[in-house]
Amino acid sequence: ASGPLMVGDSEAINVGNKYTWGFRFGVGYNLPHDGWDLYANWASFNNHTETARRAPHNGALFPVFFNPDSDIEVASTNDWVSRASANWDLELRIIDLELGREFFVSKYMTLRPHMGFRYARVDQTFHVKYAGEGTALRTSEYYLVRNSNDFWGFGLRGGVDTQFGLTSGFSIY
């Protein structure tokens, strides 16, 4: 790239998001005493999205993600690269176990208070790779930034489900 490069004349490149399928599987059991029921479900969702960009002719890409402990120093807005790519992965797992009891409050309306436990796990990775010519890459041909966020939790959950019967077999819940 020749001539002065201006950060103010640029735009941020977003990795984006793509829609993907997940699934949820549940099983319930009506206990033989007093209308109580047990319900368990498992939800699973995975998502992967990626993007890659090459600097336009007589243009540049300005790197945003750098490890502050690395030997690469982005000293000013004049540091640039010619290629960048990024990918993001998400894994979500939720397991619910609940005990509840449904009862009628009127001829057409039921309530089902429930309580139980939830386990959730969320794992994310976000990788960015800078490559090609540029003033930001002083020591190697490419630079890779790896970010990871792993979470899990376990706790109590509760609520009340409502259902309003309209006609035979149809209801609003």
Side-chain angles (χ1 to χ4, degrees), residues 87-106:
N87 65 62
W88 175 59
D89 289 306
L90 170 69
E91 293 180 14
L92 171 68
R93 306 288 182 267
I94 298 174
I95 299 172
D96 290 328
L97 178 63
E98 66 186 38
L99 174 68
R101 183 178 188 276
E102 186 175 47
F103 60 93
F104 282 90
V105 292
S106 74

Side-chain angles (χ1 to χ4, degrees), residues 131-147:
E133 299 175 353
T135 59
L137 301 177
R138 293 179 177 86
T139 60
S140 65
E141 189 173 307
Y142 72 92
Y143 182 77
L144 182 62
V145 179
R146 296 179 182 187
N147 297 301

